[in-house]
């Protein structure tokens, strides 16, 4: 067993979980202040976002922030690094 790979996997999963929980808490607090109809629309939008396959979301982020990405000049985040992977996974969940 390669302990470094296992450590990287644990680090990515723990950081992704923590960041996704922070994003989810912030979204829940913001959505709690909205009206009932708007809350239902936001709930449907969040369920639709979870229905997309992960490779589709990853391909979109690679198109936007990859080596020749459209947003590469504005947001210099390397999606091929550990923080980039954590960012993409946290935004997906």
């Amino acid at each position: 067993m390669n302990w470094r790979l296992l450590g990287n996997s644990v680090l990515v999963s723990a950081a992704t979980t923590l960041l996704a929980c922070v994003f989810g808490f912030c979204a829940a607090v913001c959505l709690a202040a909205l009206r009932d109809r708007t809350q239902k629309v936001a709930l449907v939008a969040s369920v639709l976002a979870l229905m997309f396959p992960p490779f589709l979301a990853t391909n979109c982020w690679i198109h936007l922030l990859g080596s020749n990405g459209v947003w590469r000049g504005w947001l210099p985040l390397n999606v091929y690094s550990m923080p980039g992977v954590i960012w993409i996974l946290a935004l997906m969940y």
Side-chain angles (χ1 to χ4, degrees):
M1 174 181 280
N2 193 338
W3 292 104
R4 183 171 179 197
L5 293 178
L6 181 65
N8 284 343
S9 296
V10 169
L11 177 67
V12 166
S13 64
T16 299
T17 302
L18 182 67
L19 192 59
C21 286
V22 169
F23 288 162
F25 180 76
C26 292
V29 168
C30 290
L31 291 177
L34 298 177
R35 295 184 180 165
D36 289 339
R37 180 170 170 80
T38 311
Q39 283 180 356
K40 290 178 184 176
V41 170
L43 178 66
V44 169
S46 64
V47 169
L48 286 175
L50 286 173
M51 289 174 52
F52 286 122
F55 70 87
L56 181 64
T58 303
N59 283 341
C60 290
W61 280 109
I62 289 174
H63 171 71
L64 294 173
L65 294 174
S67 298
N68 296 322
V70 178
W71 292 353
R72 186 68 177 184
W74 296 326
L75 186 62
L77 177 70
N78 184 10
V79 293
Y80 303 112
S81 65
M82 182 86 65
V85 169
I86 293 169
W87 178 258
I88 289 174
L89 288 174
L91 287 177
M92 282 175 37
Y93 298 117

